[in-house]
Amino acid sequence: MCLIEPSAVVETRRLVLRAPGSQDVARLAAFANDPAIARMTLRMPHPYGVADAEEFVLKVAVQDPARARTFLIEHEDHGPVGVIGLFEDGDPAPEVGYWIARPFWGRGLATEALQGATAWAGRSWKRRALMAGHFSDNPASGRVLEKAGFLYTGEVRRGFSRARCADTDTRRMVWLA
């Protein structure tokens, strides 16, 4: 039988990946309400308020840790700066998604969080592959995924972005342990 940590914590050089809690709601709502962040995700609504952040924290608390794991990305000096999640959906391998608050873009935090999450997924979750995607109009996210070891599959999927209220092309990528 495989034992899954109920509330995993992953530490990297500058970050701690941990479960989000009620103490994080205000900061999550403030950062996630940025339209530049929400429009690069499929599931995040815009506007994004405190009620959305509260609902998010509650959903994370009841996730099945064998099928999904969501981490708050906490910087050693700046506190919470984003979110990264791994979850099973229709693909053969779990999918990873993430966002970093705009004031922290360009500092390598998304790559560092992604590297920590993939290492955790291989070690603790025993996953040998992960899927990810980025919108075709977000090449910066593609570079983050490449730096973390993801490779393009050649597949482009259409998906509905809640914040855009429109279908968007997503370039698919894979990470292999």
Side-chain angles (χ1 to χ4, degrees), residues 2 26 59:
C2 178
K59 283 183 178 179

Side-chain angles (χ1 to χ4, degrees), residues 150-166:
F150 283 76
L151 304 169
Y152 283 100
T153 65
E155 180 186 8
V156 176
R157 286 188 191 166
R158 300 274 300 157
F160 184 77
S161 168
R162 287 180 67 191
R164 294 178 185 211
C165 294

Side-chain angles (χ1 to χ4, degrees), residues 67-89:
R67 297 182 44 82
R69 187 60 64 124
T70 303
F71 297 98
L72 180 87
I73 303 168
E74 186 168 41
H75 187 276
E76 63 187 355
D77 296 328
H78 303 290
V81 297
V83 170
I84 189 165
L86 304 100
F87 54 93
E88 291 185 354
D89 59 4

Side-chain angles (χ1 to χ4, degrees), residues 34-98:
D34 183 339
I37 294 193
R39 71 180 306 276
M40 293 302 174
T41 71
L42 286 174
R43 295 169 188 84
M44 189 181 295
H46 185 75
Y48 191 99
V50 169
D52 297 302
E54 289 171 338
E55 180 182 350
F56 169 75
V57 169
L58 289 173
K59 283 183 178 179
V60 169
V62 298
Q63 283 179 331
D64 175 356
R67 297 182 44 82
R69 187 60 64 124
T70 303
F71 297 98
L72 180 87
I73 303 168
E74 186 168 41
H75 187 276
E76 63 187 355
D77 296 328
H78 303 290
V81 297
V83 170
I84 189 165
L86 304 100
F87 54 93
E88 291 185 354
D89 59 4
D91 284 313
E95 181 154 352
V96 61
Y98 59 89

Side-chain angles (χ1 to χ4, degrees), residues 1-5 8 10 65-69 71 86 88 92-94 116-130 175-177:
M1 183 168 129
C2 178
L3 295 176
I4 302 288
E5 314 151 85
V10 177
R67 297 182 44 82
R69 187 60 64 124
F71 297 98
L86 304 100
E88 291 185 354
T118 56
W120 174 86
R123 182 182 63 255
S124 298
W125 220 19
K126 306 295 186 216
R127 303 306 171 131
R128 308 305 299 157
L130 295 173
W175 170 85
L176 302 170

